[in-house]
Amino acid sequence: MFNHIARRLLHALPTLWLVATLTFILLRLAPGGPFDSEKQVHPTVRAQIEAHYGLDQPIYRQYLRFIGNLLQGDLGPSYKYEGWNVQEIIAQSAPVSLELGALALVVAIVVGMPLGVLASLRHHRPAESILMGIAMLGICLPAFVLGPLLLLVFSSSLDWFNPLGWNYPSDRVLPAFTLGLFYAAYIARLARSGMLDVMQHEYIRTARAKGLKESVIVCRHTLRTALYPVVAYIGPAVAGLISGSFVVETIFFIPGLGQFFVNSAFNRDYSMVVGTALFYALLIILFNLLVDIIQMWMNPRTRND
């Protein structure tokens, strides 16, 4: 397992370099720049600002300077948030986005797993169609539709939650459900198919022939194996939760990293966009590695290989 983790971490280095390089190149090819605005700036002043940040140099020199700073752990200053560097902005706002993603993942698992398991236990019955219909509802309602609907019902009509902000524990409820219900639907479908597949195995039939209770068969003999496809899905789900948080943070006005990323993309804040992209890429790599470790623990044959 240690060798596998070491190999994955070594493979992550060229991946992060490729993400940084592609993001750097695409930003330079996009029209506009970090100091373009509706207010006209005197050409001399603009030239001095660009010289201060090294943007007057050829692109290859900018790239070499960027890579050199990156190897030293320096993501550079933000061009739009004066007096802040990228590391400080990420350190301040990333915990909010990570908290939102973690809560949404909990919602996805807590809602999706019971729906899938119950649907598999009611196979070929009306209850299965109802439960999976509820799961399909989560797939059909993306975050930019579900979020305003939840705000309309639970904030405007019922006045149960604040419509905006991230100040109180109750402010986490609607954003977490908005982001998590979409993935709960997929987890429900995976849990159902995994349970149905495991229930066809001979050892499950043997356990039933011995007269074991259905609850014992499900909890002790079926659930762990059926969870394997769900665990495999967590890696891509985390990636979706991270990228999907941009929309949810905008809807609920949450001061997370997604807000900074969107604003920086519009403002051509080169260093902020590259730093945020690298941070998200690193998170996705680490979560995928964590999923691999969990799968090794759940499957002894994979662990021994």
Side-chain angles (χ1 to χ4, degrees):
M1 183 181 293
F2 176 80
N3 292 334
H4 174 77
I5 295 173
R7 285 196 302 270
R8 289 293 299 271
L9 291 176
L10 287 176
H11 292 163
L13 295 178
T15 301
L16 293 174
W17 169 79
L18 186 61
V19 170
T21 301
L22 288 177
T23 308
F24 180 90
I25 294 173
L26 291 174
L27 284 171
R28 293 312 194 274
L29 293 177
F35 304 111
D36 292 342
S37 63
E38 297 179 358
K39 183 179 179 180
Q40 294 295 329
V41 180
H42 194 276
T44 304
V45 176
R46 178 168 178 167
Q48 291 176 348
I49 295 175
E50 290 180 348
H52 174 72
Y53 289 106
L55 297 179
D56 59 334
Q57 300 178 0
I59 292 181
Y60 77 92
R61 287 190 176 179
Q62 295 182 38
Y63 175 74
L64 293 176
R65 179 183 178 186
F66 161 71
I67 293 297
N69 292 336
L70 187 61
L71 292 175
Q72 299 176 16
D74 183 11
L75 295 174
S78 171
Y79 299 140
K80 286 297 180 181
Y81 301 97
E82 188 176 355
W84 290 78
N85 60 43
V86 177
Q87 294 98 308
E88 292 172 342
I89 296 175
I90 292 177
Q92 180 179 354
S93 56
V96 177
S97 295
L98 292 176
E99 182 182 358
L100 174 59
L103 292 173
L105 183 62
V106 170
V107 169
I109 295 173
V110 170
V111 174
M113 278 300 301
L115 281 177
V117 172
L118 291 175
S120 67
L121 297 178
R122 299 294 184 270
H123 192 43
H124 294 315
R125 297 180 187 177
E128 181 188 20
S129 300
I130 295 173
L131 291 170
M132 296 315 296
I134 296 173
M136 283 298 298
L137 186 63
I139 296 176
C140 297
L141 290 176
F144 61 85
V145 175
L146 182 60
L149 288 177
L150 293 178
L151 283 174
L152 181 64
V153 174
F154 294 101
S155 293
S156 299
S157 299
L158 299 177
D159 198 24
W160 288 359
F161 303 100
N162 295 324
L164 305 174
W166 194 257
N167 301 315
Y168 305 100
S170 59
D171 294 340
R172 277 77 169 159
V173 176
L174 293 184
F177 272 87
T178 301
L179 189 56
L181 287 180
F182 178 82
Y183 297 93
Y186 283 100
I187 289 176
R189 293 169 65 86
L190 289 171
R192 171 185 169 275
S193 61
M195 289 286 293
L196 292 176
D197 180 64
V198 174
M199 286 180 178
Q200 302 301 319
H201 292 178
E202 290 295 333
Y203 70 90
I204 299 297
R205 297 173 184 172
T206 303
R208 284 175 175 158
K210 290 181 179 180
L212 293 178
K213 294 182 180 180
E214 192 68 19
S215 59
V216 176
I217 294 174
V218 171
C219 297
R220 187 174 300 176
H221 300 286
T222 308
L223 195 56
R224 177 173 176 174
T225 307
L227 280 175
Y228 198 78
V230 176
V231 172
Y233 176 69
I234 289 178
V238 169
L241 289 169
I242 292 173
S243 59
S245 67
F246 299 165
V247 178
V248 176
E249 289 176 16
T250 302
I251 293 173
F252 293 93
F253 205 71
I254 298 172
L257 190 56
Q259 286 270 17
F260 285 98
F261 183 78
V262 172
N263 292 334
S264 299
F266 280 118
N267 294 325
R268 300 293 189 272
D269 191 347
Y270 296 153
S271 56
M272 187 66 206
V273 174
V274 176
T276 307
L278 275 175
F279 178 75
Y280 280 131
L282 180 61
L283 280 182
I284 293 171
I285 290 171
L286 292 178
F287 276 111
N288 282 325
L289 178 60
L290 179 61
V291 168
D292 285 348
I293 295 173
I294 295 174
Q295 287 178 316
M296 290 179 187
W297 173 75
M298 294 180 64
N299 191 341
R301 290 181 298 178
T302 304
R303 185 169 64 246
N304 292 334
D305 293 340

